């Protein structure tokens, strides 16, 4: 019974994180335009799985140093996520 409840809690946490990121990327008050969801993505991954978050930050820093482009670092770091 505990395992089933735990699975439901984890599922609810991932769904809440997904909809929080969706709300930051497509904000209602800006007519669904212009949002940036990277910070929300990073902190939800940090809350749900800190090890993956550290790997994403490492990928971001490496790409930032090699490409010298903040946007490319964010895009590639986000693509390597869960």
């Amino acid at each position: 019974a505990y395992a089933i409840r735990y699975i439901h809690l984890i599922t609810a946490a991932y769904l809440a994180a997904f909809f929080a990121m969706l709300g930051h990327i497509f904000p209602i008050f800006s007519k669904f335009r212009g949002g940036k969801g990277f910070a929300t993505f990073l902190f939800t991954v940090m809350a749900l799985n800190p090890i993956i978050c550290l790997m994403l930050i490492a990928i971001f820093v490496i790409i930032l140093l090699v490409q010298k482009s903040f946007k490319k670092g964010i895009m590639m770091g986000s693509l390597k996520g869960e």
Side-chain angles (χ1 to χ4, degrees):
Y2 176 74
I4 292 172
R5 226 177 301 154
Y6 179 74
I7 290 171
H8 289 303
L9 287 174
I10 293 297
T11 304
Y14 277 97
L15 280 173
F18 173 74
F19 285 113
M21 286 184 290
L22 197 63
H24 279 85
I25 294 170
F26 302 109
I28 294 173
F29 301 111
S30 298
K31 298 179 184 172
F32 301 105
R33 290 185 288 163
K36 304 288 185 227
F38 183 70
T40 308
F41 170 77
L42 188 64
F43 286 111
T44 54
V45 171
M46 186 184 304
L48 295 173
N49 198 337
I51 294 170
I52 290 179
C53 183
L54 290 174
M55 288 190 288
L56 292 176
I57 291 172
I59 290 168
F60 168 72
V61 169
I62 289 169
I63 293 174
L64 184 66
L65 292 174
V66 171
Q67 296 286 329
K68 307 250 189 298
S69 173
F70 187 75
K71 278 187 175 182
K72 286 181 185 176
I74 288 175
M75 287 189 291
M76 293 307 292
S78 298
L79 290 175
K80 301 293 182 189
E82 296 178 50

